[in-house]
Structure formats: structure tokens, C-alpha cells
Amino acid sequence: MDVFCFHQYFSCICNYKRLIKCAQKITEVPKIDIILISHEHYDNCDLDATNYLVRKYDSKIIAHQSILNKIENSNRNNLISIDEYQSRIIQDIKCTAQPAHHPTSFYPLSYLLNYKEQNIYFAGDTNLTNEHDNIKADLVFLPIGGRYTRDIGSAVQAAKKIKPKVAIPMQYNTFEDIKVNLNHFTEKLSTLKFKINPVILDPGESFYLK
């Protein structure tokens, strides 16, 4: 099962100079079963790329209705609307929308996925919130860039609350405004009283949770 979360992946049409090239051309992306979209910003929701993948693979899309209204898909059953605290089950994956605090977005979401007794938390662009006290996950994707979203310190605070086995940072080093020193992330995680394995992925690299 391939689940794809749009996050600083394809979009390059903006006023920022991109520092890291896209890992793949859109035509090279393998089959995607489900696409999760956290919110409408250009670095999180590339409509051209989404529409291309939907046409090519007949992918299902989970997002807030305000985003789904912009998707070109003749099969409306593939467009799955979701709001905060709602859950949808797609091909044995339970997807629950969690609140996100991202004031510049219309209706931001984060997602908690459950598959084969494992929980994966994709934070989107949210800052630290009280919701993190109630989220438990084996794997977390946390933004660390510190521009319009959380920085390394608050990302580690979120990891401390959630207590995952693995933490993967995201939303960093794509543009000048979100350049960070990744060593600070791994060092801060190592100071916690329990072990969290930091996994740093290069563009296009994969990680498999065991």
C-alpha cells in the first residue's frame, strides 16, 4: 500500500528560490494508492501534480472539502472529504484527521494513520498543540524548519509527548527561510529519557517501519 503525503515535494512556482531539486519528475513517481493533503499552500498541495497522479493512477485523495473542490477527477468517489476528528477507512488503513495549528492556512489538518497495529502521525505544518498529549504513534513526521511552523525545539517537545519509536523531520532546507542544522535535531532527541530513533531521509529515499 502506497500512501503519499504532499509536502514540499513538487511545487516550485513561488517567490522562493528552491535549494533542493525535486527527487523525481512527476512522470517518474510510482503508483500511488492514497494521497493525503494537509492544507492548501503551494509547498504542500501541488494541484497540477495531484491532478496528474489522479488521472494516471486513479488515486484516492483524503483532504478537507475546500481542497477537494479544486481537484479534477471525474470519479468523485475517489475524493474523500474529512474534518477534524473524523476517520475514514481506505483499503485497511484507518485515517483520522487531527487538528493542526497553522494560522496562515484556511483549514489545516494533520493525520494519524493506523495500519496493521502500527500508528503513523503525519503532522503537516502544525505548531505544537495540546492535541499532542493524546496522540500515540510508532512513527512521526514532524516539521522542523521554524518558519510558519514549529522549529527543532518544539518538534522535539512534540516527540517527547507522543513517544514514537522513530521520528522523521520534514519541512526544512528546501528554502533559505527554513534552513536548519539537522545535528541539533538528533542531539536534542538523544537527551530524552527514552529512545527515539531519528531517521534523516534524503530526497527520494524510502524508509520501512518494521
Side-chain angles (χ1 to χ4, degrees):
M1 175 65 61
D2 291 314
V3 180
F4 190 75
C5 300
F6 267 110
H7 208 90
Q8 63 187 62
Y9 197 81
F10 293 113
S11 293
C12 299
I13 303 174
C14 59
N15 293 325
Y16 292 99
K17 181 180 179 180
R18 190 178 179 111
L19 304 178
I20 301 174
K21 291 184 178 180
C22 297
Q24 295 171 308
K25 295 180 181 178
I26 183 63
T27 55
E28 298 171 343
V29 174
K31 186 178 187 304
I32 302 298
D33 299 294
I34 302 172
I35 299 174
L36 304 177
I37 303 178
S38 60
H39 61 291
E40 76 280 6
H41 290 164
Y42 65 83
D43 57 335
N44 308 93
C45 177
D46 186 320
L47 289 175
D48 289 339
T50 303
N51 288 326
Y52 175 87
L53 292 172
V54 166
R55 290 193 298 268
K56 184 176 182 179
Y57 294 130
D58 199 32
S59 306
K60 289 180 169 57
I61 300 178
I62 298 178
H64 185 258
Q65 187 62 48
S66 61
I67 294 175
L68 297 181
N69 290 339
K70 303 174 183 178
I71 305 299
E72 299 172 2
N73 190 343
S74 58
N75 185 359
R76 306 307 292 180
N77 291 328
N78 282 352
L79 304 183
I80 302 167
S81 178
I82 197 167
D83 292 329
E84 293 178 355
Y85 302 114
Q86 289 184 340
S87 296
R88 302 286 186 263
I89 298 178
I90 310 296
Q91 300 182 29
D92 296 328
I93 296 178
K94 181 180 179 181
C95 176
T96 302
Q98 299 289 336
H101 181 67
H102 190 42
T104 59
S105 172
F106 172 69
Y107 200 108
L109 294 171
S110 57
Y111 294 103
L112 184 64
L113 306 178
N114 176 266
Y115 179 64
K116 293 184 176 180
E117 298 184 353
Q118 290 184 320
N119 287 333
I120 299 171
Y121 176 60
F122 175 75
D125 267 3
T126 185
N127 290 312
L128 187 68
T129 72
N130 291 333
E131 301 295 333
H132 294 116
D133 292 324
N134 304 315
I135 293 173
K136 299 302 176 187
D138 302 287
L139 167 64
V140 294
F141 291 89
L142 299 172
I144 64 171
R147 178 75 169 177
Y148 307 121
T149 184
R150 74 183 77 192
D151 57 13
I152 288 176
S154 60
V156 171
Q157 285 183 318
K160 186 176 180 180
K161 292 173 178 288
I162 299 171
K163 296 182 175 62
K165 298 176 183 176
V166 178
I168 299 179
M170 62 180 184
Q171 190 78 353
Y172 65 91
N173 291 355
T174 314
F175 308 112
E176 187 68 33
D177 282 353
I178 55 174
K179 287 184 68 175
V180 300
N181 185 336
L182 284 171
N183 289 333
H184 293 165
F185 179 69
T186 57
E187 289 169 1
K188 285 182 178 294
L189 281 182
S190 69
T191 64
L192 300 180
K193 295 181 179 180
F194 46 87
K195 181 176 176 55
I196 298 177
N197 181 29
V199 173
I200 311 300
L201 296 179
D202 291 328
E205 190 176 2
S206 299
F207 173 79
Y208 295 91
L209 180 65
K210 297 180 180 179

